[in-house]
Amino acid sequence: MKAVPASVLRSLLIATAFLLFAPLVHAQQPIAPAAADPAVTSALSQVSPDRIHAIIEKLVSFNNRSTLSSMETDLKPGTGINGAADWIEQEFKRISADCGNCLDVSRDEFIEQPQTGPASRILKPTKLTNVYAILRGSDPAQANRMVLVTGHYDTRNTDTLNTHDPAPGANDDASGVAVSLECARVLSKLKPPSSMVFVAVAGEEQGLNGSRHLAQLAKQRGWQLEAVLNNDIVGGDTTPGDTLQDKSAVRVFSEGIPAAATPEQARSLINLGAESDSPSRELARAVAEVASTYFPVQIHRAAQGTPPGRAHSNVVTTTPAFHPVLIFRRDRYLRGGDHTSFNAEGFTAVRITEWRENFDHQHQNVRVENGTQYGDLLQYVDVNYVANVARLNAATLATLAFAPGVPQNVHIDTAALDNNTQLSWTAPTGAPAGTTYEIVWRPTDAPTWTMSQSAGAATSIKLPISKDNVIFAVRSVDSAGHRSIAVLPTPSRPLRTFGQPQQPSQPTTPPRP
Ligand SMILES: [Zn+2]
């Protein structure tokens, strides 16, 4: 019998050792989509374009949902914003009854005092009502954590003070309210460990008054809001002849330097090169990763026949999957929205808006002029598009609510100059058994994370990569693969500040809603 050569034995030994220890070795790897959670996939499949149509149609039926209409006494029955608030509250209660009273439904009602100045949009004390429903987390150790989805149910036409003529607001923003209601309906059957809040606010068109009140309420009550998704104008405007609308794309706006940063904090972020790593921007990156899991690119192989001019019959085409386009600014140019109310209170919040707005169908009196139909009418809303936006919201909310909390006290060791990078962090409160941590990084000129490496259950890691050349962050991952938002590390030693303190520059024109 021939002896096994030593070289073969050695190879076998190495292979055995590799198999034994491979699970312990966490290699650097390109960022890849997380595995889909079957419970989330099932919830997304329940999002219904027909229900979205019914919600928007009902909201439009209130004729004019101007916030100011709450104080009018001569409106036709069934019209005005008060009826809309009552209907939304009833919808949340109906959804709750369907899930064994799983939702706490509340009204945040208050009187907004008149604004002063020539462009005032509130002339007398006015009642505002925000309506919201909370799905309490199933894990007492994590139930204080919250993710929130919101849209505004108030509307306007050409005149911000008009309370009587039609202001249908089908796209702006019945579409966003439909997203909140559909998320509540399809997610309320899930039992995530942390809480979800489904919201419809008033006052957006008068100056973000409803969201401001709710954001302040959230702060007073100590809501641990980890993510706020503001859906405003997500109807996928469909106008005959418009060839530039893109139904596969939705914009996600996120602030760079946080609105709530003190001048000192803003200087620190600039010194670190962290202008593009606010918590809100990390949330936008999380939305993009969630999309890559639940909206994979569809590849089609031509079954038969060959398109003219093609040599082969096995033609492969791809349909662009529905996807977020991350816009790295707080909102559209010189404009604002309800997420900025949450940003102002220091919360992590982004705005979600259709690819291309049609301004003939926004803030316009309903009329035909020179053959052009103006007005925010239901006929221009694509409910299939709204359904995709709702699915993206629901997937993001569910992923973050199932994921562990974000790592705490995330630091980068700066004790000595070093071409390696040493990171450390502590576990989030209530981290479930099986929680692991993942380091993500990207070149400084890349928009989203490009590489990752698991640290397993460890709470520190040393990587042979220079912190000078990439941006690092750390996130938590549960045993099922749900990823938290990534957290930018802060230096372990106090930052030296460079140059003179700067005053944040004031915009010359206040943002318009
Ligand atoms: Zn709006």
PDB file of all heavy atoms in Angstrom, residues 152 154 171-173 204-205 231-233 332 335-338 351 362-363 513, ligand 1:
ATOM      1  N   HIS A 152     -48.824  64.207   6.138  1.00  0.00           N
ATOM      2  CA  HIS A 152     -49.742  65.266   6.607  1.00  0.00           C
ATOM      3  C   HIS A 152     -51.066  65.176   5.877  1.00  0.00           C
ATOM      4  O   HIS A 152     -51.104  64.947   4.661  1.00  0.00           O
ATOM      5  CB  HIS A 152     -49.100  66.658   6.506  1.00  0.00           C
ATOM      6  CG  HIS A 152     -48.917  67.215   5.126  1.00  0.00           C
ATOM      7  ND1 HIS A 152     -49.909  67.919   4.468  1.00  0.00           N
ATOM      8  CD2 HIS A 152     -47.850  67.200   4.281  1.00  0.00           C
ATOM      9  CE1 HIS A 152     -49.454  68.317   3.280  1.00  0.00           C
ATOM     10  NE2 HIS A 152     -48.215  67.888   3.132  1.00  0.00           N
ATOM     11  N   ASP A 154     -53.481  67.613   6.086  1.00  0.00           N
ATOM     12  CA  ASP A 154     -54.014  68.925   5.706  1.00  0.00           C
ATOM     13  C   ASP A 154     -53.650  69.220   4.250  1.00  0.00           C
ATOM     14  O   ASP A 154     -52.721  68.624   3.705  1.00  0.00           O
ATOM     15  CB  ASP A 154     -53.476  70.024   6.626  1.00  0.00           C
ATOM     16  CG  ASP A 154     -51.967  70.205   6.511  1.00  0.00           C
ATOM     17  OD1 ASP A 154     -51.247  69.206   6.672  1.00  0.00           O
ATOM     18  OD2 ASP A 154     -51.501  71.335   6.231  1.00  0.00           O
ATOM     19  N   ASN A 171     -52.220  63.881  -3.882  1.00  0.00           N
ATOM     20  CA  ASN A 171     -50.798  63.538  -3.812  1.00  0.00           C
ATOM     21  C   ASN A 171     -50.165  64.190  -2.579  1.00  0.00           C
ATOM     22  O   ASN A 171     -49.402  63.560  -1.847  1.00  0.00           O
ATOM     23  CB  ASN A 171     -50.118  64.003  -5.111  1.00  0.00           C
ATOM     24  CG  ASN A 171     -48.739  63.401  -5.298  1.00  0.00           C
ATOM     25  OD1 ASN A 171     -48.159  62.861  -4.366  1.00  0.00           O
ATOM     26  ND2 ASN A 171     -48.205  63.502  -6.493  1.00  0.00           N
ATOM     27  N   ASP A 172     -50.485  65.482  -2.368  1.00  0.00           N
ATOM     28  CA  ASP A 172     -49.907  66.284  -1.276  1.00  0.00           C
ATOM     29  C   ASP A 172     -50.957  66.565  -0.219  1.00  0.00           C
ATOM     30  O   ASP A 172     -51.620  67.568  -0.276  1.00  0.00           O
ATOM     31  CB  ASP A 172     -49.346  67.583  -1.883  1.00  0.00           C
ATOM     32  CG  ASP A 172     -48.630  68.435  -0.864  1.00  0.00           C
ATOM     33  OD1 ASP A 172     -48.365  67.948   0.248  1.00  0.00           O
ATOM     34  OD2 ASP A 172     -48.352  69.611  -1.174  1.00  0.00           O
ATOM     35  N   ASP A 173     -51.203  65.698   0.769  1.00  0.00           N
ATOM     36  CA  ASP A 173     -50.368  64.558   1.022  1.00  0.00           C
ATOM     37  C   ASP A 173     -51.228  63.386   1.481  1.00  0.00           C
ATOM     38  O   ASP A 173     -50.894  62.681   2.415  1.00  0.00           O
ATOM     39  CB  ASP A 173     -49.309  64.936   2.061  1.00  0.00           C
ATOM     40  CG  ASP A 173     -48.332  63.805   2.342  1.00  0.00           C
ATOM     41  OD1 ASP A 173     -48.071  63.013   1.416  1.00  0.00           O
ATOM     42  OD2 ASP A 173     -47.879  63.683   3.476  1.00  0.00           O
ATOM     43  N   GLU A 204     -49.142  71.224   8.179  1.00  0.00           N
ATOM     44  CA  GLU A 204     -47.910  71.280   7.385  1.00  0.00           C
ATOM     45  C   GLU A 204     -47.919  72.504   6.489  1.00  0.00           C
ATOM     46  O   GLU A 204     -46.935  73.245   6.414  1.00  0.00           O
ATOM     47  CB  GLU A 204     -47.781  69.999   6.544  1.00  0.00           C
ATOM     48  CG  GLU A 204     -46.355  69.725   6.054  1.00  0.00           C
ATOM     49  CD  GLU A 204     -46.007  70.362   4.715  1.00  0.00           C
ATOM     50  OE1 GLU A 204     -46.892  70.902   4.040  1.00  0.00           O
ATOM     51  OE2 GLU A 204     -44.817  70.313   4.349  1.00  0.00           O
ATOM     52  N   GLU A 205     -49.058  72.735   5.830  1.00  0.00           N
ATOM     53  CA  GLU A 205     -49.123  73.829   4.846  1.00  0.00           C
ATOM     54  C   GLU A 205     -49.167  75.212   5.493  1.00  0.00           C
ATOM     55  O   GLU A 205     -48.999  76.219   4.811  1.00  0.00           O
ATOM     56  CB  GLU A 205     -50.353  73.645   3.933  1.00  0.00           C
ATOM     57  CG  GLU A 205     -50.426  72.306   3.211  1.00  0.00           C
ATOM     58  CD  GLU A 205     -49.357  72.126   2.119  1.00  0.00           C
ATOM     59  OE1 GLU A 205     -48.449  72.971   2.010  1.00  0.00           O
ATOM     60  OE2 GLU A 205     -49.465  71.118   1.391  1.00  0.00           O
ATOM     61  N   ASN A 231     -43.336  60.886   4.777  1.00  0.00           N
ATOM     62  CA  ASN A 231     -43.758  60.693   3.392  1.00  0.00           C
ATOM     63  C   ASN A 231     -44.622  61.861   2.958  1.00  0.00           C
ATOM     64  O   ASN A 231     -45.719  62.051   3.474  1.00  0.00           O
ATOM     65  CB  ASN A 231     -44.540  59.385   3.253  1.00  0.00           C
ATOM     66  CG  ASN A 231     -43.652  58.185   3.471  1.00  0.00           C
ATOM     67  OD1 ASN A 231     -43.040  57.691   2.527  1.00  0.00           O
ATOM     68  ND2 ASN A 231     -43.535  57.743   4.720  1.00  0.00           N
ATOM     69  N   ASP A 232     -44.150  62.645   2.020  1.00  0.00           N
ATOM     70  CA  ASP A 232     -44.878  63.828   1.571  1.00  0.00           C
ATOM     71  C   ASP A 232     -44.743  63.920   0.051  1.00  0.00           C
ATOM     72  O   ASP A 232     -43.643  64.099  -0.460  1.00  0.00           O
ATOM     73  CB  ASP A 232     -44.287  65.071   2.258  1.00  0.00           C
ATOM     74  CG  ASP A 232     -45.212  66.269   2.172  1.00  0.00           C
ATOM     75  OD1 ASP A 232     -46.216  66.192   1.431  1.00  0.00           O
ATOM     76  OD2 ASP A 232     -44.922  67.276   2.849  1.00  0.00           O
ATOM     77  N   ILE A 233     -45.878  63.772  -0.634  1.00  0.00           N
ATOM     78  CA  ILE A 233     -45.937  63.752  -2.102  1.00  0.00           C
ATOM     79  C   ILE A 233     -45.271  62.474  -2.608  1.00  0.00           C
ATOM     80  O   ILE A 233     -44.180  62.487  -3.172  1.00  0.00           O
ATOM     81  CB  ILE A 233     -45.305  65.018  -2.732  1.00  0.00           C
ATOM     82  CG1 ILE A 233     -45.842  66.272  -2.019  1.00  0.00           C
ATOM     83  CG2 ILE A 233     -45.594  65.074  -4.237  1.00  0.00           C
ATOM     84  CD1 ILE A 233     -45.183  67.576  -2.456  1.00  0.00           C
ATOM     85  N   ARG A 332     -35.932  69.478  -0.492  1.00  0.00           N
ATOM     86  CA  ARG A 332     -35.784  70.022  -1.829  1.00  0.00           C
ATOM     87  C   ARG A 332     -35.282  71.462  -1.726  1.00  0.00           C
ATOM     88  O   ARG A 332     -35.414  72.098  -0.678  1.00  0.00           O
ATOM     89  CB  ARG A 332     -37.136  69.955  -2.535  1.00  0.00           C
ATOM     90  CG  ARG A 332     -37.639  68.500  -2.624  1.00  0.00           C
ATOM     91  CD  ARG A 332     -39.150  68.445  -2.590  1.00  0.00           C
ATOM     92  NE  ARG A 332     -39.649  69.107  -1.403  1.00  0.00           N
ATOM     93  CZ  ARG A 332     -40.863  69.607  -1.277  1.00  0.00           C
ATOM     94  NH1 ARG A 332     -41.725  69.490  -2.242  1.00  0.00           N
ATOM     95  NH2 ARG A 332     -41.244  70.215  -0.162  1.00  0.00           N
ATOM     96  N   ARG A 335     -36.913  74.361   0.204  1.00  0.00           N
ATOM     97  CA  ARG A 335     -38.231  73.938   0.676  1.00  0.00           C
ATOM     98  C   ARG A 335     -38.074  73.111   1.947  1.00  0.00           C
ATOM     99  O   ARG A 335     -36.967  72.732   2.319  1.00  0.00           O
ATOM    100  CB  ARG A 335     -38.971  73.164  -0.420  1.00  0.00           C
ATOM    101  CG  ARG A 335     -39.093  73.999  -1.696  1.00  0.00           C
ATOM    102  CD  ARG A 335     -39.887  73.314  -2.764  1.00  0.00           C
ATOM    103  NE  ARG A 335     -41.321  73.313  -2.464  1.00  0.00           N
ATOM    104  CZ  ARG A 335     -42.204  72.558  -3.118  1.00  0.00           C
ATOM    105  NH1 ARG A 335     -41.802  71.727  -4.045  1.00  0.00           N
ATOM    106  NH2 ARG A 335     -43.484  72.620  -2.817  1.00  0.00           N
ATOM    107  N   GLY A 336     -39.190  72.886   2.643  1.00  0.00           N
ATOM    108  CA  GLY A 336     -39.126  72.187   3.918  1.00  0.00           C
ATOM    109  C   GLY A 336     -40.269  71.212   4.075  1.00  0.00           C
ATOM    110  O   GLY A 336     -41.166  71.146   3.232  1.00  0.00           O
ATOM    111  N   GLY A 337     -40.230  70.456   5.166  1.00  0.00           N
ATOM    112  CA  GLY A 337     -41.298  69.488   5.426  1.00  0.00           C
ATOM    113  C   GLY A 337     -41.271  69.033   6.871  1.00  0.00           C
ATOM    114  O   GLY A 337     -40.430  69.473   7.666  1.00  0.00           O
ATOM    115  N   ASP A 338     -42.188  68.122   7.194  1.00  0.00           N
ATOM    116  CA  ASP A 338     -42.393  67.741   8.597  1.00  0.00           C
ATOM    117  C   ASP A 338     -41.180  67.056   9.236  1.00  0.00           C
ATOM    118  O   ASP A 338     -41.008  67.118  10.453  1.00  0.00           O
ATOM    119  CB  ASP A 338     -43.615  66.821   8.712  1.00  0.00           C
ATOM    120  CG  ASP A 338     -44.928  67.577   8.486  1.00  0.00           C
ATOM    121  OD1 ASP A 338     -45.012  68.734   8.933  1.00  0.00           O
ATOM    122  OD2 ASP A 338     -45.837  67.005   7.869  1.00  0.00           O
ATOM    123  N   ARG A 351     -36.984  62.681   4.651  1.00  0.00           N
ATOM    124  CA  ARG A 351     -38.167  62.951   3.841  1.00  0.00           C
ATOM    125  C   ARG A 351     -38.166  62.025   2.627  1.00  0.00           C
ATOM    126  O   ARG A 351     -37.138  61.867   1.959  1.00  0.00           O
ATOM    127  CB  ARG A 351     -38.148  64.394   3.340  1.00  0.00           C
ATOM    128  CG  ARG A 351     -39.329  64.706   2.426  1.00  0.00           C
ATOM    129  CD  ARG A 351     -39.159  65.978   1.620  1.00  0.00           C
ATOM    130  NE  ARG A 351     -40.375  66.203   0.837  1.00  0.00           N
ATOM    131  CZ  ARG A 351     -41.294  67.121   1.117  1.00  0.00           C
ATOM    132  NH1 ARG A 351     -41.110  67.955   2.106  1.00  0.00           N
ATOM    133  NH2 ARG A 351     -42.394  67.219   0.401  1.00  0.00           N
ATOM    134  N   GLN A 362     -50.153  70.701  -7.647  1.00  0.00           N
ATOM    135  CA  GLN A 362     -49.723  70.887  -6.254  1.00  0.00           C
ATOM    136  C   GLN A 362     -50.020  72.335  -5.861  1.00  0.00           C
ATOM    137  O   GLN A 362     -49.626  73.255  -6.589  1.00  0.00           O
ATOM    138  CB  GLN A 362     -48.207  70.615  -6.212  1.00  0.00           C
ATOM    139  CG  GLN A 362     -47.629  70.479  -4.836  1.00  0.00           C
ATOM    140  CD  GLN A 362     -46.126  70.198  -4.921  1.00  0.00           C
ATOM    141  OE1 GLN A 362     -45.321  71.017  -4.544  1.00  0.00           O
ATOM    142  NE2 GLN A 362     -45.738  69.024  -5.416  1.00  0.00           N
ATOM    143  N   HIS A 363     -50.707  72.531  -4.735  1.00  0.00           N
ATOM    144  CA  HIS A 363     -50.983  73.889  -4.238  1.00  0.00           C
ATOM    145  C   HIS A 363     -51.699  74.733  -5.314  1.00  0.00           C
ATOM    146  O   HIS A 363     -51.407  75.913  -5.470  1.00  0.00           O
ATOM    147  CB  HIS A 363     -49.685  74.615  -3.813  1.00  0.00           C
ATOM    148  CG  HIS A 363     -48.906  73.896  -2.756  1.00  0.00           C
ATOM    149  ND1 HIS A 363     -47.774  74.419  -2.195  1.00  0.00           N
ATOM    150  CD2 HIS A 363     -49.099  72.711  -2.147  1.00  0.00           C
ATOM    151  CE1 HIS A 363     -47.281  73.579  -1.297  1.00  0.00           C
ATOM    152  NE2 HIS A 363     -48.090  72.531  -1.256  1.00  0.00           N
ATOM    153  N   PRO A 513     -42.981  75.023   2.751  1.00  0.00           N
ATOM    154  CA  PRO A 513     -43.406  73.624   2.876  1.00  0.00           C
ATOM    155  C   PRO A 513     -43.647  73.010   1.506  1.00  0.00           C
ATOM    156  O   PRO A 513     -43.923  73.710   0.563  1.00  0.00           O
ATOM    157  CB  PRO A 513     -44.711  73.701   3.649  1.00  0.00           C
ATOM    158  CG  PRO A 513     -44.831  75.086   4.158  1.00  0.00           C
ATOM    159  CD  PRO A 513     -43.941  75.958   3.331  1.00  0.00           C
TER     160      PRO A 513
HETATM  161 ZN    ZN B   1     -46.914  68.322   1.519  1.00  0.00          ZN
END
